[in-house]
Amino acid sequence: MTDSKIKYIDIHHHKDERGDLVAIEENHPLPFHPLRTFYLMNVPKGQKRAGHAVDCELFVFALKGNATLVYTNKKRKQENFELNCNKGLLIPAYHFIEIKDFSSDALVVVYASKKFDDTQYYQLDQL
């Protein structure tokens, strides 16, 4: 086990005969005001995304398909987290992450607490 403060948060699906509806709002389930949203999709087999830490909070989940988020601490110990549509990951600032093993249909959603231009990026040796 690592020193990770990453935690899973349930994502509620509202299902009926018309299909599924998923709502993401500040304070439900997000504990921060999202200032940026981006999507990872069509990631070729074997490719990774992220590979850095940021100075803001992130909320990450797979809206479709699945992938694996890997947290690496300063001692280079790793912890894997599965991304799917039922639970999102709340990732505190300054956590070095990579996302890998994307299924062919994966659609990963990321909410960030800062805008892109205001966000600082860090490599593992800078933390």
Side-chain angles (χ1 to χ4, degrees):
M1 197 59 121
T2 65
D3 56 349
S4 166
K5 293 188 169 100
I6 294 173
K7 67 178 183 178
Y8 280 107
I9 296 177
D10 289 330
I11 296 174
H12 299 287
H13 291 250
H14 305 279
K15 297 181 180 198
D16 64 22
E17 64 280 352
R18 300 169 295 168
D20 292 8
L21 179 123
V22 175
I24 305 293
E25 300 174 334
E26 181 179 12
N27 296 320
H28 187 73
L30 292 179
F32 62 84
H33 179 75
L35 293 179
R36 180 167 57 121
T37 303
F38 57 95
Y39 307 92
L40 304 172
M41 60 189 133
N42 303 319
V43 177
K45 185 175 176 115
Q47 293 297 312
K48 297 177 184 177
R49 297 302 309 239
H52 51 69
V54 291
D55 65 343
C56 65
E57 290 181 281
L58 302 174
F59 183 67
V60 182
F61 67 100
L63 186 58
K64 186 176 179 186
N66 54 59
T68 302
L69 184 138
V70 180
Y71 163 67
T72 304
N73 71 11
K74 293 177 190 177
K75 297 178 183 176
R76 304 214 185 267
K77 298 228 185 253
Q78 294 186 329
E79 187 173 357
N80 292 340
F81 298 88
E82 295 305 313
L83 297 176
N84 61 52
C85 66
N86 296 315
K87 293 181 184 286
L89 286 174
L90 180 61
I91 303 168
Y94 306 104
H95 273 55
F96 184 89
I97 62 167
E98 286 185 325
I99 304 174
K100 65 179 191 172
D101 300 333
F102 290 82
S103 63
S104 61
D105 63 341
L107 172 57
V108 174
V109 181
V110 182
Y111 292 98
S113 64
K114 283 184 156 185
K115 293 180 179 180
F116 176 76
D117 289 341
D118 297 333
T119 302
Q120 296 293 314
Y121 291 78
Y122 301 92
Q123 294 303 310
L124 189 56
D125 59 355
Q126 295 175 300
L127 299 174

